[in-house]
Amino acid sequence: MRLTEQGTAPRSPGQSREASLDPPRGLTSAEVDARQVPGGNRLPVEPPPSAVRMLAAQMVHFFALVLWAAAALAVIGGMPQLGVAIAIVVVLNGVFSFVQEFRADRAADALQDLVPHRVSVLRDGLRQDVDAVELVLGDLVLMEAGDRLAADLELLEVHGLRVDEAMLTGESAPVAKGPGDAVHAGCFVVEGEGSATVTAVGGNTRLAGIATMTQTVQQVKSPLSRELDRVVRAITLLAVGLGVVCFGVGLLLGLAPGDGFLFAVGITVALVPEGLLPTVTLSLARSAQLLARGNALVRRLESVETLGSTTFICTDKTGTLTQNRMAVIEVWTPVGTTAVHGQGYEPVAEVTGPAAAITSTRELARAAVLCSTGRIRQQGGAWVAFGDPMEAALDALARRAGATALEAADRPGTRRFTFDPRRRRMSVLVDGVLYVKGAPESVLDRCAHVEGAAEAAAQMARRGLRVLAVAVGTAPVPVGASGDDAERGLSLLGLVGLEDPPRPGVDAALAECRRAGIRIAMVTGDSGATAEAIARETGLWLTGSSLVVEGRDLPADQHALAELLDVDGAVVCRVAPEDKLRITQSLQSRGHVVAMTGDGVNDGPALRASDIGVAMGRSGTDVARQAADLVLLDDQFATIVTAVRQGRATFSNIRRFLTYHLTDNVAELTPFLVFSVTGGAVPLALGVLQVLALDIATDQLPALALGAEPPSARVLDGPPPRHRLIDRGLLARAFGLLGPVEATVSMTAFLAVLLSSGWSYGETPSAVSLATASGAAFTAVVLGQAANAFACRSSTRPPLRLSWRSNPLLLGAVVVELLILVGMLAVPAVADLLGHRPPSVLGLVIAGCAVPAVLAADALAKLVAARRAQSRAVAADN
């Protein structure tokens, strides 16, 4: 490496760089010691959240607090068994949620892996390899191809230096760098060599700044969390309100204060849906497992439902819409054009075109490989790129065209003129022949006979292709000549058109998103021309609404930014991390549920701030994956569509088992209301322990099976559901139809058994008669819920019109539910604990009527609703 400038401390702005005839010496040991800072060149590490704190959080969220209060009331009311049972439910659910979501937040630790452990510096005039932690401001760093930068640097002298900055900027192509340019910690040197002074270390680097922004951005609360909080608040207020009302009514009707209090506690506990929390958690966990099988790893369970609510997707380009690999698809030569049809970097492909053009392509490919260092190699059964992906694509072209790929480094007398950002080309002299490649505008001016080349290059560029010109020179190159002097009088071999091809099926996935009412924008660090070309090729671009805007041109005002980008098919290019964060927050301000994709460190803040952060599992950084809610294990955009489909199905399934649970609550509450209204003249048909048994033991499996209902074929038709988890329709169905039917049959069975035993209104029945009647009421509720489970599979179609094979879990769950019912009635110890006995024949017959009664009421209501909908449609057509 030639070093012609003194390595010193960073210059102040505007200070000129003076050349020194003396060889550079770097800092002295004394200067290094004086400049050491506490912590050294370490990125700030945020300690991961405490496991104890994470577990505690699962025990004290709002729903859990409601259940803790119910348990306390049960103990105060003289029902310690009930209190213990509720507490066990809370603890088990909390532990399960903790295990499912426990992820040590290693975002900061992952950053440490992006900084090398050793780095080459010049100190005291000697080249040394030192620990990267020991770097100080002003250190003179020596770099070469393959190095990862350990600090923010200002370049002094460079020779063909190109740096991969994708993780910080999103720019997919390596960037050529010159003296005076800044390069940042965490980036890769792809090609060339150079020297630079350290301008920032540790927490002051750009990498650390982005990481800090990621850690400080607050994650938004998921729509499901907000809805569940609303549901639980409503149910809690209803339970407490009814408890207070019934306590007052009981006192007015002559109930003793002590009995009235216990009775009010019973009503309150009966209305709290103890089984809802574990049902929601297990349903989300099952959906997360299904998504994992489809290459989508969910890091937060609630994100499953949020996916279904997504209204806007901001997608990256490289690696998400495209394959993140360069490929030559077209070669122009003066004698004709050839097309290359291949997959990835596979060396076998079809090259089509005139025979003379194919021969010229072979010659061009050989020349391009000779002045390249990037290669393809077979690894793990697949061909992958080593070095610059663009040069690897040229190696693949040479193999596909049948060229003999000579390694320039193996030839004696080889001279290399490395890439320079000013010249925008590079060359290599092998056996007296100079092989040149570079930007068309920098190569064509040095070639003779280039008719048609400029227009061909322009056409390729308009189609979004990256264009290279390849030429040869046979004139002698004097010893000591510069690249500019050597690269003259060239003969043009042709032009190479490369692209990062779209992923297969991405166009269909984008169409599915639009069918689902989801708007899509491309947010990328690449150039506008390349981004627009990919948008058009994949179908993301929509004529009439799409636009291209650079990050620097985005409005500073959030409302203006949201208005500009709240369209379908927008393309935002050359974005900074701050831009992505602003875009996310501006769209959220307009009511959108935003999904943001990303793979680099620069994407971390936006991933964390978005409603759904989607990171790439293969090509993404650990920082991006830790900041995200969903990780695509295959990096496929189509996987997002699969996740959205499952998310919508999860939302519908939660509504299904909410209807199921609330229907049960009506049947459970009715005996308490009857007891209160009659002032105790009608005995209590169901006790609090029976209610808990219904919620936890018999209802749980069918509710979980309803949570496994597969997505319907129409789940992506139209925009995401805007209705709440619990709306007027759901309440009318549960409280106004199915619940009253169950309650009526249950109370009928209870009273019929009591009357048949000789009981009269206002009398105290015998313990046996009361237990037998209570068993009949309990049986009626369980059988009614068995029928209700099938009715809840659809809000529009009766069970007989649904396929039994689409959800086999439900049939099994109902069978198990009935077996549990038999056990609770027939096992003496359990029956005594719950306070009931097996029903009499009369009670069993009446309880059995709950099945046809629930199914008939459900079918009739759906028929009426369908006819009303049909009438409205006819009226609208007229």
Side-chain angles (χ1 to χ4, degrees), residues 177-528:
K177 295 291 184 179
D181 288 344
V183 290
H184 301 285
C187 297
F188 270 113
V189 176
V190 175
E191 183 178 323
E193 58 187 13
S195 63
T197 55
V198 176
T199 58
V201 296
N204 295 320
T205 61
R206 179 166 175 76
L207 178 64
I210 296 175
T212 300
M213 190 189 310
T214 300
Q215 294 162 4
T216 56
V217 169
Q218 294 295 320
Q219 287 187 317
V220 296
K221 201 167 187 178
S222 72
L224 179 61
S225 292
R226 295 193 294 267
E227 275 295 285
L228 283 177
D229 283 351
R230 190 182 69 87
V231 169
V232 172
R233 282 189 176 92
I235 292 176
T236 301
L237 289 174
L238 177 64
V240 174
L242 278 176
V244 172
V245 169
C246 289
F247 176 69
V249 172
L251 292 180
L252 291 175
L253 295 178
L255 201 64
D259 293 339
F261 174 75
L262 295 179
F263 177 67
V265 169
I267 288 181
T268 303
V269 174
L271 272 178
V272 174
E274 294 87 359
L276 179 58
L277 184 58
T279 303
V280 171
T281 302
L282 291 172
S283 178
L284 293 175
R286 184 181 185 279
S287 295
Q289 290 175 350
L290 292 176
L291 287 174
R293 295 174 192 169
N295 292 316
L297 179 63
V298 176
R299 298 190 66 250
R300 288 198 305 161
L301 288 181
E302 292 171 355
S303 302
V304 174
E305 187 278 330
T306 309
L307 282 161
S309 304
T310 300
T311 60
F312 208 111
I313 297 177
C314 295
T315 177
D316 198 1
K317 176 185 74 69
T318 306
T320 307
L321 299 178
T322 67
Q323 298 179 26
N324 195 22
R325 59 179 69 185
M326 298 302 297
V328 177
I329 64 170
E330 184 178 321
V331 178
W332 178 92
T333 67
V335 297
T337 301
T338 58
V340 184
H341 310 278
Q343 294 292 328
Y345 293 116
E346 294 291 333
V348 178
E350 183 181 6
V351 181
T352 60
I358 293 177
T359 300
S360 296
T361 295
R362 187 176 301 116
E363 182 182 356
L364 176 150
R366 178 178 180 275
V369 168
L370 283 173
C371 56
S372 300
T373 56
R375 294 291 184 267
I376 59 171
R377 298 175 190 167
Q378 200 165 17
Q379 187 177 71
W383 289 86
V384 296
F386 284 82
D388 189 334
M390 183 177 64
E391 294 186 344
L394 295 175
D395 186 26
L397 171 67
R399 296 170 187 254
R400 290 166 174 175
T404 303
L406 297 176
E407 298 286 348
D410 295 338
R411 309 292 293 169
T414 296
R415 293 175 59 190
R416 182 177 296 275
F417 302 97
T418 57
F419 184 87
D420 184 280
R422 178 184 56 82
R423 294 164 47 233
R424 300 192 66 193
R425 60 184 179 273
M426 61 86 59
S427 57
V428 62
L429 183 66
V430 182
D431 293 338
V433 179
L434 187 71
Y435 300 95
V436 183
K437 79 173 190 297
E441 58 270 24
S442 70
V443 175
L444 296 183
D445 288 345
R446 294 174 174 261
C447 297
H449 311 297
V450 293
E451 292 81 5
E455 178 58 27
Q459 290 181 358
M460 288 183 180
R462 282 194 291 269
R463 301 205 308 274
L465 301 183
R466 185 167 296 157
V467 186
L468 281 179
V470 182
V472 295
T474 55
V477 178
V479 176
S482 66
D484 279 344
D485 293 334
E487 297 157 352
R488 297 181 182 276
L490 305 176
S491 297
L492 180 67
L493 295 179
L495 304 170
V496 179
L498 303 99
E499 73 166 357
D500 182 2
R503 287 187 177 275
V506 71
D507 51 348
L510 289 169
E512 282 280 275
C513 285
R514 288 185 168 128
R515 180 168 72 90
I518 301 173
R519 294 184 176 183
I520 309 161
M522 180 192 295
V523 182
T524 177
D526 269 344
S527 68

Side-chain angles (χ1 to χ4, degrees), residues 5 9 15 90 101 111 162 221 246 252 324 332 375 380 433 458 486 492 506 515 534 558 560 587 725 802 838 859:
E5 302 180 45
Q15 180 182 346
V90 179
E101 296 192 0
L111 280 174
R162 288 201 291 167
K221 201 167 187 178
C246 289
L252 291 175
N324 195 22
W332 178 92
R375 294 291 184 267
V433 179
L492 180 67
V506 71
R515 180 168 72 90
I534 292 297
Q558 179 170 303
L587 291 172
L725 276 177
L802 301 173

Side-chain angles (χ1 to χ4, degrees), residues 717-736:
D717 289 347
R722 287 290 187 179
H723 52 262
R724 297 182 179 274
L725 276 177
I726 295 183
D727 56 14
R728 184 178 302 175
L730 189 150
L731 291 175
R733 190 175 178 204
F735 290 160

Side-chain angles (χ1 to χ4, degrees), residues 70 73-74 77-79 82 86 239 242-243 246 259-272 274 668-669 672-673 684 686-689 691-692 695:
L73 284 175
M79 296 170 284
L82 176 61
I86 296 176
L242 278 176
C246 289
D259 293 339
F261 174 75
L262 295 179
F263 177 67
V265 169
I267 288 181
T268 303
V269 174
L271 272 178
V272 174
E274 294 87 359
E668 294 167 352
L669 178 63
F672 292 92
L673 292 177
L684 197 60
L686 294 174
V688 176
L689 286 178
V691 168
L692 187 66
D695 283 345

Side-chain angles (χ1 to χ4, degrees), residues 668-816:
E668 294 167 352
L669 178 63
T670 300
F672 292 92
L673 292 177
V674 172
F675 179 82
S676 176
V677 170
T678 62
V682 174
L684 197 60
L686 294 174
V688 176
L689 286 178
Q690 286 172 296
V691 168
L692 187 66
L694 289 170
D695 283 345
I696 302 300
T698 62
D699 277 0
Q700 202 62 30
L701 286 178
L704 291 174
L706 285 172
E709 194 72 26
S712 72
R714 300 185 303 276
V715 72
L716 290 182
D717 289 347
R722 287 290 187 179
H723 52 262
R724 297 182 179 274
L725 276 177
I726 295 183
D727 56 14
R728 184 178 302 175
L730 189 150
L731 291 175
R733 190 175 178 204
F735 290 160
L737 178 69
L738 299 177
V741 170
E742 275 190 22
T744 299
V745 176
S746 175
M747 289 305 299
T748 300
F750 175 74
L751 293 173
V753 173
L754 279 184
L755 291 170
S756 67
S757 67
W759 170 81
S760 297
Y761 182 81
E763 294 181 354
T764 301
S766 66
V768 174
S769 298
L770 181 59
T772 303
S774 183
F778 187 85
T779 302
V781 175
V782 174
L783 294 179
Q785 283 294 91
N788 186 31
F790 293 103
C792 288
R793 290 188 64 193
S794 171
S795 60
T796 58
R797 292 181 294 171
L800 293 179
R801 294 183 56 190
L802 301 173
S803 171
W804 294 94
R805 292 177 296 179
S806 60
N807 190 358
L809 292 176
L810 183 59
L811 187 60
V814 170
V815 170
V816 173

